[in-house]
Coordinates of all heavy atoms in Angstrom, one line a residue:
Chain B
G124 N 32.9 25.1 52.6 CA 32.1 24.6 51.5 C 31.2 23.5 51.9 O 31.1 23.1 53.1
V125 N 30.5 22.9 50.9 CA 29.6 21.7 51.2 C 30.4 20.6 51.9 O 29.9 20.0 52.8 CB 29.0 21.2 49.9 CG1 28.0 20.1 50.3 CG2 28.2 22.3 49.2
S126 N 31.6 20.4 51.5 CA 32.3 19.2 51.9 C 33.1 19.4 53.2 O 33.9 18.6 53.6 CB 33.2 18.7 50.8 OG 34.1 19.7 50.4
S127 N 33.1 20.7 53.8 CA 34.0 20.9 54.9 C 33.6 20.2 56.1 O 34.4 19.5 56.7 CB 34.2 22.4 55.1 OG 32.9 23.0 55.2
T128 N 32.3 20.4 56.6 CA 31.9 19.6 57.8 C 30.5 19.1 57.6 O 29.8 19.5 56.7 CB 31.9 20.6 59.0 OG1 30.8 21.5 58.9 CG2 33.2 21.3 59.3
L129 N 30.1 18.2 58.6 CA 28.7 17.7 58.5 C 27.7 18.8 58.6 O 26.7 18.8 57.9 CB 28.5 16.8 59.8 CG 28.8 15.3 59.6 CD1 28.6 14.6 60.9 CD2 27.9 14.7 58.5
F130 N 28.0 19.8 59.4 CA 27.1 20.9 59.6 C 26.8 21.6 58.2 O 25.7 21.9 57.8 CB 27.6 22.0 60.6 CG 26.7 23.2 60.6 CD1 25.6 23.2 61.4 CD2 27.0 24.3 59.9 CE1 24.8 24.4 61.4 CE2 26.2 25.4 59.9 CZ 25.1 25.5 60.6
F131 N 27.9 21.8 57.5 CA 27.8 22.6 56.3 C 27.1 21.8 55.2 O 26.5 22.3 54.3 CB 29.1 23.2 55.8 CG 29.4 24.5 56.5 CD1 30.4 24.6 57.5 CD2 28.6 25.6 56.2 CE1 30.6 25.8 58.2 CE2 28.8 26.8 56.9 CZ 29.8 26.9 57.9
T132 N 27.3 20.5 55.2 CA 26.6 19.7 54.2 C 25.1 19.9 54.4 O 24.4 20.2 53.4 CB 26.9 18.2 54.4 OG1 28.3 17.9 54.2 CG2 26.1 17.3 53.5
G133 N 24.6 19.8 55.6 CA 23.2 20.0 55.8 C 22.8 21.5 55.6 O 21.7 21.8 55.0
Y134 N 23.7 22.4 56.0 CA 23.4 23.8 55.8 C 23.1 24.2 54.3 O 22.1 24.8 54.0 CB 24.5 24.6 56.4 CG 24.5 26.1 56.0 CD1 23.7 27.0 56.8 CD2 25.2 26.6 54.9 CE1 23.6 28.3 56.4 CE2 25.1 27.9 54.6 CZ 24.3 28.8 55.3 OH 24.2 30.1 55.0
Y135 N 24.0 23.7 53.5 CA 23.9 24.1 52.1 C 22.7 23.3 51.4 O 22.0 23.9 50.6 CB 25.2 23.7 51.3 CG 26.2 24.8 51.5 CD1 27.4 24.5 52.2 CD2 26.1 26.0 50.8 CE1 28.4 25.4 52.4 CE2 27.1 26.9 51.0 CZ 28.2 26.7 51.8 OH 29.2 27.6 51.9
T136 N 22.5 22.1 51.9 CA 21.3 21.3 51.3 C 20.0 22.1 51.6 O 19.2 22.3 50.8 CB 21.3 19.9 51.9 OG1 22.5 19.3 51.8 CG2 20.2 19.1 51.2
L137 N 19.9 22.4 52.9 CA 18.6 23.1 53.3 C 18.4 24.5 52.8 O 17.4 24.8 52.2 CB 18.5 23.1 54.9 CG 18.3 21.8 55.6 CD1 18.6 21.9 57.0 CD2 16.8 21.4 55.4
T138 N 19.5 25.3 52.9 CA 19.3 26.7 52.4 C 19.2 26.6 50.9 O 18.5 27.4 50.3 CB 20.5 27.6 52.8 OG1 21.7 26.9 52.4 CG2 20.5 27.8 54.2
G139 N 19.9 25.7 50.2 CA 19.8 25.6 48.8 C 18.4 25.2 48.3 O 17.9 25.9 47.4
L140 N 17.9 24.2 48.9 CA 16.5 23.7 48.5 C 15.5 24.9 48.8 O 14.6 25.1 48.0 CB 16.1 22.5 49.2 CG 14.9 21.8 48.7 CD1 15.2 21.2 47.3 CD2 14.4 20.7 49.6
H141 N 15.7 25.5 49.9 CA 14.8 26.6 50.2 C 14.9 27.8 49.2 O 13.9 28.3 48.7 CB 15.0 27.1 51.6 CG 14.1 28.2 52.0 ND1 14.4 29.5 52.0 CD2 12.8 28.2 52.4 CE1 13.4 30.3 52.3 NE2 12.4 29.5 52.6
A142 N 16.2 28.2 48.9 CA 16.4 29.3 48.0 C 15.8 28.9 46.6 O 15.3 29.8 45.9 CB 17.9 29.6 47.8
L143 N 15.9 27.6 46.2 CA 15.3 27.2 45.0 C 13.8 27.4 45.0 O 13.2 27.9 44.0 CB 15.6 25.7 44.7 CG 15.1 25.1 43.4 CD1 15.8 25.7 42.2 CD2 15.2 23.6 43.4
H144 N 13.2 27.1 46.1 CA 11.7 27.3 46.3 C 11.4 28.8 46.1 O 10.5 29.2 45.5 CB 11.3 26.8 47.6 CG 10.9 25.3 47.7 ND1 11.9 24.4 47.8 CD2 9.8 24.7 47.6 CE1 11.3 23.2 47.8 NE2 10.0 23.3 47.6
V145 N 12.2 29.6 46.8 CA 12.0 31.1 46.8 C 12.1 31.6 45.3 O 11.3 32.3 44.8 CB 12.9 31.8 47.7 CG1 12.7 33.3 47.6 CG2 12.7 31.4 49.1
L146 N 13.2 31.1 44.7 CA 13.4 31.6 43.3 C 12.3 31.2 42.4 O 11.7 32.1 41.7 CB 14.7 30.9 42.8 CG 15.2 31.4 41.4 CD1 15.5 32.8 41.4 CD2 16.3 30.5 40.9
L147 N 11.8 30.0 42.4 CA 10.7 29.6 41.5 C 9.5 30.4 41.9 O 8.8 30.9 41.0 CB 10.5 28.1 41.7 CG 11.6 27.2 41.1 CD1 11.3 25.7 41.4 CD2 11.8 27.4 39.6
G148 N 9.2 30.5 43.2 CA 8.0 31.3 43.6 C 8.1 32.7 43.1 O 7.1 33.3 42.7
A149 N 9.3 33.3 43.3 CA 9.4 34.7 42.9 C 9.2 34.9 41.4 O 8.5 35.9 41.0 CB 10.8 35.2 43.3
L150 N 9.8 34.0 40.6 CA 9.6 34.2 39.2 C 8.1 34.0 38.8 O 7.6 34.8 38.0 CB 10.4 33.1 38.4 CG 11.9 33.3 38.6 CD1 12.7 32.2 37.9 CD2 12.4 34.6 38.0
A151 N 7.4 33.1 39.5 CA 6.0 32.9 39.2 C 5.2 34.2 39.6 O 4.3 34.6 38.9 CB 5.5 31.7 39.9
L152 N 5.6 34.8 40.7 CA 5.0 36.0 41.2 C 5.1 37.1 40.2 O 4.2 37.9 40.0 CB 5.5 36.4 42.6 CG 4.9 35.6 43.8 CD1 5.8 35.8 45.0 CD2 3.5 36.1 44.0
L153 N 6.3 37.2 39.6 CA 6.5 38.3 38.7 C 5.7 38.1 37.4 O 5.1 39.1 36.9 CB 8.0 38.4 38.3 CG 8.9 38.8 39.4 CD1 10.4 38.8 39.0 CD2 8.5 40.2 39.9
V154 N 5.5 36.9 37.0 CA 4.6 36.6 35.9 C 3.2 37.0 36.3 O 2.5 37.7 35.5 CB 4.7 35.1 35.5 CG1 3.6 34.8 34.4 CG2 6.1 34.7 35.0
L155 N 2.8 36.6 37.5 CA 1.5 36.9 38.0 C 1.3 38.4 38.0 O 0.2 38.9 37.7 CB 1.3 36.3 39.4 CG 0.0 36.3 40.0 CD1 -1.0 35.5 39.2 CD2 0.1 35.8 41.4
A156 N 2.3 39.1 38.5 CA 2.2 40.6 38.6 C 2.0 41.2 37.2 O 1.1 42.0 37.1 CB 3.5 41.1 39.2
A157 N 2.7 40.7 36.2 CA 2.5 41.3 34.9 C 1.1 41.0 34.4 O 0.5 41.9 33.8 CB 3.5 40.7 33.9
L158 N 0.6 39.8 34.7 CA -0.8 39.5 34.2 C -1.8 40.3 35.0 O -2.7 40.9 34.4 CB -1.0 38.0 34.4 CG -0.3 37.1 33.5 CD1 -0.4 35.7 33.9 CD2 -0.9 37.2 32.1
R159 N -1.6 40.5 36.3 CA -2.6 41.2 37.1 C -2.6 42.7 36.7 O -3.6 43.4 36.7 CB -2.3 41.1 38.6 CG -2.9 39.9 39.3 CD -4.3 39.7 39.0 NE -5.2 40.7 39.7 CZ -6.4 41.1 39.1 NH1 -6.7 40.6 38.0 NH2 -7.1 42.0 39.8

Side-chain angles (χ1 to χ4, degrees):
Chain B
V125 180
S126 57
S127 50
T128 67
L129 268 179
F130 172 84
F131 276 108
T132 297
Y134 168 83
Y135 282 106
T136 309
L137 286 165
T138 52
L140 193 68
H141 180 262
L143 181 69
H144 275 80
V145 177
L146 181 66
L147 293 175
L150 293 177
L152 277 165
L153 291 178
V154 173
L155 186 65
L158 287 169
R159 275 310 289 146

